[in-house]
């Protein structure tokens, strides 16, 4: 029992330890951190590729990007900044490859971040492909944090300082470390032509990318013919149709269940019943035991009846601090009798059990078809009053007026770079060749050459940790949940439902086991029948 409780105590004690302090001022841009002192073989050169929006975070980036200053109400009626996470544009601090290549970095741990950039001209993709591509680098490894982009509705362009989770968006795309696991989001907001309400449509099943410390490239192509393609590291990982592969679907069912219909009281929906004519056979003995002593078994010749199976440990010594008056008579712990290890056994010999050939167990009547069975009841169908048919959802989507990054993360130093939003698949591929493909091999080689210490658990990614060390993976997930819960319990449960559920089950199981053990030891012992 002690071995069961101890790990839980450790987790609880660790969970309530003081967490690192966080800056509670509003979001701001911090000065560039010193770049790594390392000899790099490539130098950054701004691309000549043109697009409706292409961001490489050159020196004039601040003229395009605006950190959010959105506020929220406090419990006492005041206002506080919603997005305290800091932003910086700097070179990569982990596995750098291209000298002078800078990216936008979410600097704060356990904080909300939000920043946005408007487009000079709104992007209409009703008759051209929409191509979204960008790089993300979790420089400190994955530990619960978003890395996705929001393509914002046309009209937000003058509201950058008010950008928040309430700002309307058209498409959301990118990775999200949900702890445990990771998923690649592709979500679009579709307007119901009847009610006028917007509903999020999620690509299902979502691809589950591997997240490490190296640069990852994410590409989404949405075509006017309602098809789409998702790529990770320039390799296709998913494709499909906006009409078939999203939940809830774009078009609702033509008919729905009648909410006023109810199952008749005489409706019989049991397909099988016990045979009322069946009777237990006269020779059916429900009390026959499952096992009986094996009467053919013989006691081994070397069995030592007079030798005890367990003896006091001859090497045990009474502790010096043992007080017979206070602690009682000291008794040496028992150990296996070494004499018995050389023979078949010691002590009183009893016959071994064997399966009882007459055992039949409890008798049950066989099941037969129910003669009055009417089938599974279902309410009648009626025309869906909210039914519509939109076979061209791409053309129904609003124009895009800008790009925003709005996320909560437990991981600091997430780097975004080379954001492309336009119409050319070829130009996006060319941009990837200029940047990502130069970094990819070099970063992987550097990562392979790094010797990680056994206790460097925070640097492990969720998808690798479980395979390599399940215990460390679970411990890390629990600690991440506790750290987030200390800041915002509701958000902790919403963002990590799997961890919250597992903890709840564990606690219930522990108390159930404690109750069972207390019941066993608290009850009187049943008499032994000889």
């Amino acid at each position: 029992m002690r071995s069961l409780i101890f790990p839980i105590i450790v987790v609880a004690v660790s969970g309530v330890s003081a967490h690192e302090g966080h800056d509670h001022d509003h979001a701001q841009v911090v000065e560039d951190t010193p770049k790594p002192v390392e000899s790099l073989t490539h130098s950054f050169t701004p691309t000549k590729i043109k697009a409706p929006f292409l961001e490489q975070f050159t020196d004039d980036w601040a003229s395009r990007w605006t950190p959010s200053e959105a506020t929220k109400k406090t419990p006492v009626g005041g206002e506080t900044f919603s997005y305290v996470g800091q932003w910086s544009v700097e070179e990569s601090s982990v596995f750098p490859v291209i000298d002078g290549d800078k990216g936008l970095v979410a600097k704060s741990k356990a904080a909300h971040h939000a920043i946005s950039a408007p487009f000079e001209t709104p992007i209409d993709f009703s008759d051209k492909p929409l191509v979204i591509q960008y790089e993300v680098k979790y420089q400190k490894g994955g530990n619960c944090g978003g890395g996705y982009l929001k393509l914002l509705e046309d009209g937000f362009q003058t509201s950058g300082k008010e950008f928040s989770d309430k700002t309307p968006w058209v498409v959301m795309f990118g990775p999200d470390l949900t702890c445990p696991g990771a998923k690649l989001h592709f979500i679009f907001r579709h307007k119901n032509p009847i009610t006028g309400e917007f509903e999020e449509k999620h690509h299902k099943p979502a691809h589950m990318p591997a997240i490490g410390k190296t640069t990852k490239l994410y590409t989404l192509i949405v075509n006017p013919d309602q098809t789409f393609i998702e790529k990770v590291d320039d390799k296709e990982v998913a494709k499909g149709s906006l009409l078939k592969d999203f939940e809830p679907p774009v078009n609702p069912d033509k008919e729905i269940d009648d909410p006023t219909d109810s199952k008749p009281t005489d409706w019989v929906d049991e397909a099988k019943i016990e045979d009322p004519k069946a009777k237990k056979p006269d020779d059916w003995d429900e009390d026959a035991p499952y096992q009986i002593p094996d009467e053919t078994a013989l006691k081994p010749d070397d069995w030592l009846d007079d030798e005890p199976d367990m003896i006091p440990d001859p090497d045990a010594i009474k502790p010096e601090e043992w007080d017979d008056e206070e602690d009682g008579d000291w008794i040496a712990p028992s150990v296996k009798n070494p004499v018995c290890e050389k023979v078949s056994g010691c002590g009183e010999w009893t016959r071994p059990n064997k399966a009882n050939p007459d055992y039949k167990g409890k008798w049950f009547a066989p099941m037969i078809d129910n003669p009055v069975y009417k089938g599974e009841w279902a309410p009648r169908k009626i025309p869906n009053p909210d039914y519509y048919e939109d076979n061209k959802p791409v053309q129904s989507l609003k124009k895009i007026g800008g790009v925003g990054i709005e996320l909560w993360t437990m991981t600091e130093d997430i780097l975004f770079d080379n954001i492309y939003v336009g119409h050319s698949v070829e130009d996006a591929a060319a941009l990837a060749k200029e940047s990502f493909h130069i970094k990819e091999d070099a970063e992987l080689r550097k990562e392979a050459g790094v010797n990680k210490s056994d206790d460097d658990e925070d640097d492990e990614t969720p998808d690798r940790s479980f395979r390599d060390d399940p215990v460390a993976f679970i411990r890390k997930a629990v600690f991440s949940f506790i750290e987030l819960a200390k800041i915002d319990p509701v958000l902790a449960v919403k963002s990590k439902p799997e961890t919250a559920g597992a903890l709840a089950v564990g606690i219930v199981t522990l108390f159930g086991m404690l109750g069972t053990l207390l019941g066993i030891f608290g009850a009187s012992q049943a008499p032994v029948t000889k």
Side-chain angles (χ1 to χ4, degrees), residues 94-339:
V94 179
F95 310 136
V97 174
I98 302 176
D99 186 32
D101 182 24
K102 297 181 179 181
L104 178 66
V105 181
K107 296 294 294 181
S108 305
K109 182 178 181 180
H112 287 95
H113 294 72
I115 194 168
S116 62
F119 297 163
E120 291 184 1
T121 303
I123 294 179
D124 181 355
F125 54 99
S126 60
D127 58 356
K128 302 177 183 177
L130 171 65
V131 182
I132 305 167
Q133 180 175 280
Y134 69 108
E135 299 170 6
V136 178
K137 189 174 185 178
Y138 285 80
Q139 299 183 100
K140 295 297 176 65
N143 182 21
C144 306
Y148 43 82
L149 301 183
K150 290 183 176 180
L151 281 298
L152 307 175
E153 278 189 11
D154 181 27
F156 105 99
Q157 287 90 324
T158 59
S159 306
K161 290 185 177 181
E162 287 75 44
F163 172 51
S164 72
D165 59 339
K166 306 299 182 184
T167 302
W169 48 272
V170 182
V171 172
M172 191 173 100
F173 174 67
D176 189 9
L177 280 172
T178 53
C179 288
K183 66 175 66 175
L184 182 61
H185 288 301
F186 172 22
I187 311 170
F188 65 92
R189 293 176 70 244
H190 180 263
K191 184 178 180 180
N192 185 311
I194 296 179
T195 65
E197 296 180 355
F198 283 88
E199 186 175 45
E200 294 182 6
K201 311 294 184 180
H202 296 244
H203 173 220
K204 295 291 182 69
H207 174 70
M208 301 179 66
I211 306 293
K213 289 184 177 181
T214 59
T215 300
K216 306 292 290 185
L217 181 72
Y218 298 96
T219 308
L220 172 67
I221 304 166
V222 181
N223 296 305
D225 64 357
Q226 321 309 315
T227 61
F228 71 92
I229 297 173
E230 297 175 13
K231 295 182 179 181
V232 176
D233 296 347
D234 221 6
K235 300 178 181 64
E236 184 179 301
V237 296
K239 64 180 180 179
S241 166
L242 271 66
L243 291 168
K244 299 178 181 179
D245 300 297
F246 285 77
E247 295 181 7
V250 170
N251 294 314
D253 295 329
K254 290 184 178 181
E255 293 184 321
I256 60 172
D257 293 341
D258 185 352
T260 66
D261 195 12
S262 60
K263 184 170 70 172
T265 57
D266 61 347
W267 190 276
V268 178
D269 48 16
E270 290 84 18
K272 297 283 187 177
I273 61 171
E274 291 185 358
D275 186 354
K277 299 179 181 179
K279 293 183 180 181
K280 183 174 70 172
D282 294 336
D283 61 348
W284 191 286
D285 184 2
E286 291 185 340
D287 299 325
Y290 178 68
Q291 290 185 325
I292 58 174
D294 185 358
E295 298 298 336
T296 63
L298 299 175
K299 183 173 70 173
D301 294 336
D302 62 347
W303 191 277
L304 303 177
D305 295 88
D306 299 328
E307 193 71 37
D309 188 51
M310 303 293 291
I311 62 172
D313 185 355
D315 298 325
I317 301 175
K318 183 172 72 173
E320 295 181 0
E321 65 274 14
W322 189 278
D323 189 326
D324 290 336
E325 293 184 359
E326 293 185 4
D327 301 325
D329 294 336
W330 181 79
I331 301 175
S334 296
V335 295
K336 186 76 174 178
N337 189 341
V339 174

Side-chain angles (χ1 to χ4, degrees), residues 17 42 54 70 91 96 109 136 150 196 221 231 247 339 354 380 403 417 422 476 485 492 512:
S17 61
H42 296 81
L54 199 160
E91 294 184 42
K109 182 178 181 180
V136 178
K150 290 183 176 180
I221 304 166
K231 295 182 179 181
E247 295 181 7
V339 174
K354 67 175 184 178
R380 60 176 170 267
V403 61
D417 199 7
K476 177 180 164 188

